[in-house]
């Protein structure tokens, strides 16, 4: 063997070792975070959370649900999950918690996160969960339905939904409401994913839409890992750092099967 061939063989062997070592040192890809909004709003409210997660290297998909019916919203969310290139952390706010409870049965979803959200059990809907509020609990200013759709009283929107959001932004949210279908309000979950998959819950302590006591009760029933933070129902808009920080903790948590 010539000197040239010896050196060439050695160089190739070294390159192979280096390549193998680099491959072994690579970390698993971040899970994809899929964000699901609730009633009366659209996916744009997730902007702050999206920016925090993207800055930290997480792929993020924001679902734009029509909120006409639960079946439609689950179908749209499942299409978003299908587009993820890694396992999915499925995050729902408010009524979005109903959507993720159903859509979260998708095998690509590894964990669930509820942000001041409804976490229904089998055959439960938002309508059922809000039917008998506790004495003294705040009542959301939902107006009577028109053509099968619900809206919040614009004059009371900020105080009930977004008390800690900047006034101009809260007013914009009130003026740009997305009508919420009665069929979505009454949509029942068939198989709650939290029964089989690990879940986390962020309670908004100053929520005037879903009483904090009700949030804690649903979180405990779901066996979720519970965190709390000061904040209105729109805590994900007002305090995106806290919401993103929870999601990132979830992403790095060791999963235990239920």
């Amino acid at each position: 063997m010539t000197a040239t061939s010896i050196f060439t063989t050695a160089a190739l062997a070294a390159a192979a070792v280096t390549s193998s070592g680099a491959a072994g040192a690579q970390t698993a890809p971040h899970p994809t975070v899929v964000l699901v909004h609730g009633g009366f709003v659209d996916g744009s409210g997730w902007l702050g959370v999206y920016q925090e997660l993207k800055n930290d290297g997480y792929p993020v998909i924001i679902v734009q649900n029509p909120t006409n019916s639960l079946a439609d919203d689950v179908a749209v969310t499942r299409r978003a999950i299908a587009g993820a290139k890694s396992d999915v952390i499925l995050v729902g706010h408010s009524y979005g918690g109903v959507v993720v409870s159903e859509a979260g049965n998708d095998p690509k979803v590894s964990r669930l996160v509820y942000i001041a959200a409804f976490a229904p059990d089998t055959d439960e809907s938002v309508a059922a969960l809000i039917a008998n509020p506790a004495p003294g609990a705040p009542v959301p200013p939902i107006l009577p339905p028109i053509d099968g759709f619900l809206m919040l009283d614009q004059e009371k929107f900020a105080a009930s939904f977004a008390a800690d959001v900047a006034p101009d932004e809260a007013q914009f949210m009130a003026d740009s409401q997305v009508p919420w279908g009665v069929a979505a309000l009454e949509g029942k979950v068939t198989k709650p994913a939290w029964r089989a998959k690990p879940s986390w819950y962020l309670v908004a302590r100053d929520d005037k839409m879903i009483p904090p006591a009700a949030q804690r009760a649903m979180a405990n029933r779901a066996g979720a890992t519970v965190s709390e933070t000061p904040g209105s129902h729109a805590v994900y808009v007002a305090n995106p750092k806290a919401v993103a920080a929870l999601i990132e903790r979830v992403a790095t948590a060791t999963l235990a099967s239920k």
Side-chain angles (χ1 to χ4, degrees):
M1 181 180 289
T2 66
T4 301
S5 64
I6 291 172
F7 288 134
T8 301
T9 303
L12 290 172
V17 170
T18 302
S19 174
S20 174
Q26 288 178 352
T27 57
H30 281 314
T32 300
V33 180
V34 176
L35 302 170
V36 183
H37 65 84
F40 308 116
V41 295
D42 66 10
S44 63
W46 289 112
L47 176 60
V49 175
Y50 169 87
Q51 291 172 329
E52 294 288 333
L53 294 170
K54 292 291 284 186
N55 286 343
D56 289 337
Y58 287 86
V60 183
I61 297 173
I62 297 177
V63 179
Q64 290 286 11
N65 278 326
T67 64
N68 293 332
S69 71
L70 177 59
D72 285 349
D73 295 337
V74 169
V76 172
T77 300
R78 283 176 174 155
R79 286 199 293 271
I81 294 167
K85 294 181 172 58
S86 56
D87 70 297
V88 168
I89 298 175
L90 190 57
V91 183
H93 169 256
S94 192
Y95 158 72
V98 183
V99 179
V100 306
S101 293
E102 187 75 28
N105 291 297
D106 188 290
K108 288 180 74 172
V109 176
S110 61
R111 53 208 109 178
L112 310 168
V113 181
Y114 295 85
I115 307 297
F118 292 103
D121 204 343
T122 305
D123 290 331
E124 279 187 342
S125 63
V126 173
L129 289 168
I130 66 174
N132 298 298
V139 178
I142 301 175
L143 299 173
I146 298 176
D147 296 331
F149 289 90
L150 302 163
M151 298 279 281
L152 292 178
D153 187 325
Q154 287 178 300
E155 299 300 320
K156 299 177 180 178
F157 184 99
S160 60
F161 197 104
D164 52 355
V165 175
D168 287 351
E169 188 173 4
Q171 187 62 56
F172 175 79
M173 292 171 70
D175 292 340
S176 62
Q177 285 184 68
V178 178
W180 187 27
V182 171
L185 174 81
E186 296 178 345
K188 295 180 179 180
V189 167
T190 62
K191 181 184 177 184
W194 52 255
R195 286 197 171 275
K197 300 184 180 184
S199 59
W200 285 257
Y201 197 109
L202 182 64
V203 173
R205 293 195 195 113
D206 308 306
D207 201 323
K208 300 289 193 299
M209 294 290 293
I210 306 176
Q215 294 182 37
R216 295 183 189 107
M218 288 185 288
N220 290 333
R221 180 177 66 175
T225 300
V226 182
S227 300
E228 299 200 8
T229 187
S232 72
H233 193 57
V235 63
Y236 69 111
V237 178
N239 194 355
K241 287 182 180 295
V243 174
L246 171 62
I247 295 169
E248 293 189 23
R249 289 199 300 274
V250 171
T252 58
T254 301
L255 298 185
S257 60
K258 286 196 171 184

